[in-house]
Amino acid sequence: MAHGVQDTGRPEEQASAHLPSGTDLSILLRGVPLFADLADPDLERLLVGAAPLRLDTGAAAFHQGDEARTFQVLLTGRLKLSQVTPDGQQVTLRYITPGEMFGGIAALNGKPYPASALAVAPSLAVRWDREVFQRHVQEQAQLSWKLIQELSRRFSEAQSRFREMATERVERRIARTLLRLAHQTGRRVEEGVLIDLPLSRQDLAEMIGTTQFTVSRVLSDWERRGLVEAGRARVVLRHPHQLVLVAEDLMAPEV
């Protein structure tokens, strides 16, 4: 189906497998941390079996429960990973930004995707069939080591988020999440640092394990104090250093 079809079917029915005109895939791959240190011949070998995936806003790279057949890396754009719980509640897990792999653990394990990956902006990814990428990993020691490092980082990040949800006040969790997203996608604007994502209060609530009401209450208080500017799906950190103090529990919440 033609490029531009929205999230109404399987991934192959929503996406184009053609690179934008003038795009050099090898240059884009060199900008991915996982591949940045590969020797030129190794990077050239990595192009074998690599397939581009273009997604319009709202299209899916894959759906929760699909067989994980491919290893994927985001090159441009933004993706949101979301999961439907057994009781039918949809939960935002995290956002994927350029240079990050996604769906890789499930693909390498041969398990179904545990979440859905939806484009929240026009996006370009690259993917390899599971067997092809496993062969690259087996043949390239540097790639194998970088993959281990990335999986270790993801595990540490997940542990930190579980600890935050179990032990920290909600204000600290919101501040940490906003600072994390600003680090990933932040863009300097006149008012401060814009989190360059269509981030709703419900998304934020799902990411930190609280309610939309609580997030709205905290953000409204922070707006009153001049720390943030929060619109319907737009958040600007007016004074990020003040949020660092909240995240580290060095400032009274005043909520």
Side-chain angles (χ1 to χ4, degrees), residues 121-142:
S123 300
L124 173 66
V126 62
R127 56 184 176 177
W128 294 260
D129 285 343
R130 179 174 60 220
E131 293 77 11
V132 171
F133 195 80
Q134 286 176 334
R135 187 162 62 248
H136 284 309
V137 171
Q138 291 166 356
E139 294 173 352
Q140 300 188 40
Q142 180 66 21

Side-chain angles (χ1 to χ4, degrees), residues 1-9 11 13-15 54-60:
M1 188 170 290
H3 170 58
V5 177
Q6 298 302 304
D7 182 15
T8 57
E13 296 177 324
Q14 310 163 22
R54 294 172 65 185
L55 297 164
D56 277 347
T57 301

Side-chain angles (χ1 to χ4, degrees), residues 59-74:
F62 53 76
H63 292 276
Q64 180 177 339
D66 284 348
E67 179 186 356
R69 299 188 301 265
T70 58
F71 181 95
Q72 307 186 55
V73 173
L74 185 65

Side-chain angles (χ1 to χ4, degrees), residues 182 185-189 192-197 234-237:
T185 72
R187 179 164 56 87
R188 178 66 65 175
V189 295
V193 178
L194 170 68
I195 295 177
D196 198 10
L197 289 168
R234 182 178 188 269
V235 179
V236 176
L237 311 188

Side-chain angles (χ1 to χ4, degrees), residues 151-167:
L151 294 177
S152 176
R153 185 190 68 79
R154 290 283 184 92
F155 181 71
S156 296
E157 180 184 291
Q159 281 189 313
S160 295
R161 291 184 63 180
F162 285 137
R163 176 186 53 77
E164 290 169 11
M165 285 193 286
T167 64

Side-chain angles (χ1 to χ4, degrees), residues 189-211:
V189 295
E190 183 177 351
E191 307 97 310
V193 178
L194 170 68
I195 295 177
D196 198 10
L197 289 168
L199 182 67
S200 71
R201 299 186 182 201
Q202 183 61 38
D203 289 333
L204 189 55
E206 292 170 2
M207 291 177 71
I208 67 171
T210 189
T211 65

